[in-house]
Amino acid sequence: MNKIAPELVEELIERDTEKREIGLPNLPLADGEKVVMRFAPNPNGAATLGSARGIIVNSEYARRYNGKFILRFDDTDPVVKRPLLEAYDWYLEDCDWLDAKPDEVVVASERMDLYYKYAVALIEKGAAYVCFCPADVFKTYKNRKVPCPDRAASIETNMENWNKMLTGVYAEKEAVLRIKTDMAAKDPALRDWVAFRILKKDHPRIGKRYEVWPNLDFESAIEDHLLGITHIIRGKDLMKSEKRQQFLYDHLGWQYPITKHWGKIKMQEFGKFSTSELRRRIEEGEYEGWDDPTLPTLKALRRRGFQPEAIRKFFISLGVSQTDIAVSMKNMYAENRKAVDALASRYFFVHNPEEMRLLNGDSFVAKALKHPSGTDYREIKTGNTVYISGGDYAKLKVGEKIRLKYLCTVEIESLKPLRAKVIDTEPKVPVIHWAPSDSINVKVKKPDGIEEGIGEPLIASELGNVVQFERYGFVRIDSVVGKEVVAYFTH
RNA sequence: GCUCCGGUAGUGUAGCUCGGCCAAUCAUUUCGGCCUUUCGAGCCGAGGACUCGGGUUCAAAUCCCGACCGGAGCACCA
């Protein structure tokens, strides 16, 4: 075949290597193009699972093509989605944690003069005008495909009015700057959109320096060009943005980046959530904070012991399809299990403990593997009692033989009180875990509540680590105070 | 109402640009088995999908038309 059709062979090889690139599809690239990607959140709260998708997919592409990844804060709304001062740093932390450290960080609210400059340039081109219509009045013009009277104002008048906007002559909602598009555009969503509006509210980051703020469509359009963004990947709710912004790019003679839009993602376990709503409920005290284990924030997942590479793999496996999806966290658990299984030491934690008296002997020592595939051992000493979980206890019958893992095999003598005699090891008996007589208290915070129990003392030595409570699940040891341990349940 | 976009197993996903290697990939879920010291771990195996109708073609998940279903935009939010 090589002799007859060498170009075919080449093509086959090419296809083969392309297929091996699992996860995200390749990006359309111009020759020698340097890829610049960005993730542009509004820092009005902590990053959520939704943010993670933006951070991971964009940074992953930047990495694949040896390009640049920019984190840009689109924080030009001090009122409706008001930025949270601490959240700027939180985003940086979360990016670092997800192995997506940005090459550059841009804060829109600090670049206002830039946006003003382009506002002026557009007015001078006759491509933007100051509109005094109340929102509902403009809407009727828009629906009738009729330009509003202000659209016809001269460039000089518009410059004058724009300066009046900037110097505080007008009240909020009295005037806006609109971009001229096409009032007869088929799609009503495209007709003469608002670029700047007046908001006389201080901005958490830069105070009261400005009263005229750009909208997302304007700010991000200017920034994407200035930052040299080559590819934009974002939610499909912003699909129309591209068409609106295209008018701006045409006015300025710019070339729009290549875009890709993904559908809405819903985690089945969390339902719908918006950052604004999360913030409201946290501020009302409904949750402990942004890292409350019931929340879909990255801070919470970190506290629960999720591994960043698992979260990356999970979102990359989701791809960038435009359909809305409802995914189960189980998929992420599965990914995380692979990451965490190798590094989590095993311990015994007993939920709803029941005391079991061991009849023949006063003290016992178990030599237990820290990890089933390792060779490190831990010693668990106990007196003539152990504790087994309420769940296991409920299933016991008198005369039944069970193995206390790593310790001994016993035969149940009585259930109330629970007594058992140690017998010779036998094959094929059920194996259960247990806790020693000198156990420490362990509270496990789960997304659906707190479970209390006891566990072997060595658990206290794992502060900050992810461990597996055998036959229970993975947890991260969050705090150790004396003999009280608090663990966050991973899955 | 106007406009735009999408529809592959229970859940996601690959394949669709350029029709044939697709009796459709991978993961997860479910079910079964194994591991004589994890019945929330690990290993092995099984099951399960191209929304429907028409058209083009030797050949359609892939191209065209229509229907149905779903989502998004029409904000002085992002």
Side-chain angles (χ1 to χ4, degrees):
Chain A
M1 186 166 178
N2 222 337
K3 273 184 191 166
I4 311 161
E7 73 283 353
L8 259 184
V9 173
E10 227 165 80
E11 198 187 305
L12 283 176
I13 291 167
E14 202 172 293
R15 262 197 205 179
D16 242 69
T17 49
E18 256 176 47
K19 269 191 181 159
R20 251 173 237 139
E21 195 82 65
I22 40 156
L24 302 173
N26 283 326
L27 250 28
L29 278 192
D31 275 346
E33 189 178 22
K34 173 96 173 151
V35 169
V36 183
M37 311 292 301
R38 49 77 155 180
F39 172 63
N42 174 16
N44 62 335
T48 62
L49 245 12
S51 328
R53 192 179 195 183
I55 294 168
I56 289 163
V57 171
N58 282 292
S59 69
E60 182 67 19
Y61 272 126
R63 180 173 303 170
R64 180 184 297 182
Y65 294 110
N66 231 318
K68 194 166 151 186
F69 173 57
I70 297 175
L71 173 66
R72 187 182 74 219
F73 293 107
D74 285 350
D75 60 343
T76 58
D77 170 26
V79 178
V80 181
K81 289 186 179 167
R82 191 173 166 80
L84 183 68
L85 211 44
E86 306 92 292
Y88 292 84
D89 286 337
W90 293 347
Y91 267 97
L92 257 29
E93 285 164 20
D94 286 336
C95 283
D96 283 0
W97 181 59
L98 289 175
D99 193 20
K101 198 178 171 62
D103 299 300
E104 192 179 336
V105 179
V106 176
V107 180
S109 61
E110 289 171 355
R111 289 156 64 92
M112 293 286 283
D113 295 338
L114 218 47
Y115 312 138
Y116 287 171
K117 190 181 112 193
Y118 283 100
V120 169
L122 286 157
I123 295 169
E124 281 170 348
K125 281 174 189 283
Y129 62 99
V130 177
C131 171
F132 295 96
C133 302
D136 54 327
V137 173
F138 187 84
K139 195 171 184 172
T140 61
Y141 284 123
K142 179 172 71 186
N143 290 342
R144 281 160 41 211
K145 302 188 181 181
V146 179
C148 93
D150 301 318
R151 198 182 209 263
S154 69
I155 290 171
E156 291 70 32
T157 308
N158 278 319
M159 274 310 300
E160 201 176 301
N161 290 340
W162 167 249
N163 283 323
K164 282 190 191 167
M165 277 176 78
L166 292 182
T167 50
V169 173
Y170 304 125
E172 283 188 20
K173 304 199 175 200
E174 200 177 337
V176 294
L177 187 76
R178 285 187 189 277
I179 300 300
K180 279 188 196 172
T181 62
D182 176 5
M183 283 307 281
K186 272 207 313 189
D187 187 343
L190 305 183
R191 298 169 197 162
D192 284 18
W193 48 272
V194 171
F196 285 86
R197 78 287 208 202
I198 299 166
L199 297 168
K200 307 213 176 198
K201 169 108 178 163
D202 68 298
H203 186 282
R205 194 166 171 113
I206 56 162
K208 288 191 170 170
R209 230 154 66 220
Y210 304 97
E211 292 187 344
V212 177
W213 290 91
N215 262 335
L216 177 75
D217 278 336
F218 188 86
E219 176 268 325
S220 85
I222 300 292
E223 287 291 7
D224 285 337
H225 175 78
L226 261 32
L227 296 172
I229 306 297
T230 54
H231 303 259
I232 298 173
I233 305 181
R234 60 185 167 196
K236 71 176 179 187
D237 48 318
L238 293 175
M239 254 171 159
K240 285 283 149 94
S241 270
E242 174 174 357
K243 292 189 173 162
R244 281 195 284 261
Q245 292 174 335
Q246 186 62 54
F247 286 97
L248 191 70
Y249 274 62
D250 289 344
H251 287 314
L252 294 168
W254 294 347
Q255 164 119 41
Y256 204 85
I258 294 166
T259 54
K260 184 129 200 155
H261 296 96
W262 57 53
K264 262 195 312 197
I265 176 170
K266 189 176 111 186
M267 301 308 298
Q268 289 166 5
E269 287 79 356
F270 290 111
K272 277 184 193 161
F273 57 85
S274 74
T275 307
S276 319
E277 194 187 332
L278 244 41
R279 182 172 178 178
R280 202 202 77 229
R281 293 165 76 165
I282 288 165
E283 282 167 0
E284 284 173 2
E286 198 172 320
Y287 299 106
E288 281 178 16
W290 287 95
D291 59 357
D292 187 295
T294 58
L295 258 27
T297 59
L298 294 180
K299 287 167 95 60
L301 296 187
R302 185 160 58 226
R303 198 162 187 194
R304 285 172 61 188
F306 280 85
Q307 301 302 299
E309 68 267 29
I311 300 177
R312 280 191 81 95
K313 279 185 188 160
F314 170 74
F315 278 106
I316 288 168
S317 78
L318 254 35
V320 285
S321 85
Q322 227 178 86
T323 22
D324 295 337
I325 52 176
V327 216
S328 168
M329 285 292 285
K330 283 180 182 170
N331 292 280
M332 196 156 97
Y333 295 163
E335 209 60 72
N336 195 58
R337 204 172 284 134
K338 288 172 198 157
V340 106
D341 184 56
L343 57 89
S345 294
R346 269 58 170 171
Y347 292 100
F348 288 156
F349 159 77
V350 168
H351 179 221
N352 288 336
E354 283 289 339
E355 191 183 60
M356 175 191 272
R357 175 81 201 279
L358 300 177
L359 294 174
N360 33 351
D362 282 330
S363 71
F364 301 85
V365 180
K367 202 179 168 200
L369 279 169
K370 275 195 136 180
H371 191 282
S373 60
T375 49
D376 283 352
Y377 287 92
R378 63 190 203 271
E379 275 197 351
I380 317 170
K381 294 183 183 139
T382 192
N384 62 1
T385 58
V386 296
Y387 295 88
I388 66 168
S389 80
D392 287 332
Y393 173 71
K395 285 181 246 166
L396 284 184
K397 290 181 190 78
V398 173
E400 191 178 358
K401 292 168 185 169
I402 53 167
R403 170 114 197 137
L404 297 172
K405 192 173 179 187
Y406 297 123
L407 189 67
C408 59
T409 306
V410 297
E411 183 175 336
I412 307 300
E413 293 265 302
S414 72
L415 289 174
K416 261 183 185 180
L418 179 57
R419 295 153 158 266
K421 74 170 180 226
V422 179
I423 58 170
D424 288 340
T425 299
E426 285 186 33
K428 297 269 183 196
V429 295
V431 181
I432 65 168
H433 64 294
W434 50 277
S437 46
D438 64 340
S439 283
I440 55 175
N441 292 327
V442 179
K443 278 185 189 165
V444 180
K445 283 202 175 179
K446 305 180 90 165
D448 52 359
I450 296 177
E451 288 192 342
E452 301 200 35
I454 59 173
E456 53 183 295
L458 234 39
I459 291 170
S461 68
E462 293 277 2
L463 180 62
N465 295 338
V466 175
V467 301
Q468 186 194 84
F469 285 167
E470 291 201 34
R471 299 213 299 140
Y472 183 81
F474 292 95
V475 302
R476 189 184 142 275
I477 306 304
D478 189 71
S479 73
V480 177
V481 181
K483 283 193 149 195
E484 298 281 330
V485 171
V486 174
Y488 273 57
F489 189 70
T490 315
H491 47 75

